Amino acid sequence: SVVKVLCQPGQRVTLPCLYHYEDRAHIPQLSVQWRSPHNELLCHYIKHKAFQNCTVGYAITYSPGSITLTIQHVQMEDFGAHVCSVSKRHEFSDSSVELARMSESVTSAPNSGRNQSG
């Protein structure tokens, strides 16, 4: 199942990565790659080397069992499926998070509540 996150352009958003390697115990050797909808590498994190490299405007946050990607200012090209790849030694798991544009009609209704008195 794909996780869906809604936001609007220009907003700051955090995408969750779903993986189960650390449900029971911490794993010393772990690496994470976040890829954009265009398959560009946005963030790369290697736990045992304390290595972290992100494209400008993106950030990765790691704590055992929880990995997130933060997009500082969402652009149009950010909308789509982001893939989080988590690997440990010889195993890896991919999870997908879809960033979808929130419809603006939900947030504002300028015509409601107008009284016309003659």
Side-chain angles (χ1 to χ4, degrees):
S1 64
V2 176
V3 177
K4 202 169 192 177
V5 176
L6 295 172
C7 76
Q8 287 179 2
Q11 286 184 330
R12 182 174 182 264
V13 73
T14 299
L15 305 178
C17 175
L18 303 178
Y19 77 109
H20 303 291
Y21 294 149
E22 295 187 297
D23 285 356
R24 288 176 216 85
H26 295 184
I27 292 170
Q29 293 194 9
L30 199 71
S31 72
V32 184
Q33 290 188 358
W34 273 104
R35 292 190 171 275
S36 76
H38 311 286
N39 204 32
E40 297 161 319
L41 183 60
L42 297 177
C43 280
H44 190 194
Y45 171 80
I46 304 172
K47 183 178 178 178
H48 48 284
K49 293 182 181 174
F51 170 83
Q52 186 172 319
N53 188 29
C54 285
T55 302
V56 175
Y58 301 86
I60 191 168
T61 305
Y62 168 84
S63 61
S66 170
I67 300 167
T68 59
L69 174 73
T70 299
I71 305 174
Q72 302 297 345
H73 296 285
V74 173
Q75 310 287 330
M76 290 307 294
E77 61 261 27
D78 288 316
F79 291 111
H82 291 256
V83 176
C84 168
S85 299
V86 183
S87 57
K88 60 161 191 170
R89 294 206 171 115
H90 308 297
E91 285 182 69
F92 74 95
S93 79
D94 283 359
S95 77
S96 187
V97 181
E98 187 183 340
L99 187 62
R101 187 171 184 178
M102 193 186 296
S103 60
E104 295 170 21
S105 58
V106 176
T107 52
S108 60
N111 293 335
S112 63
R114 184 191 294 167
N115 286 337
Q116 291 194 336
S117 56

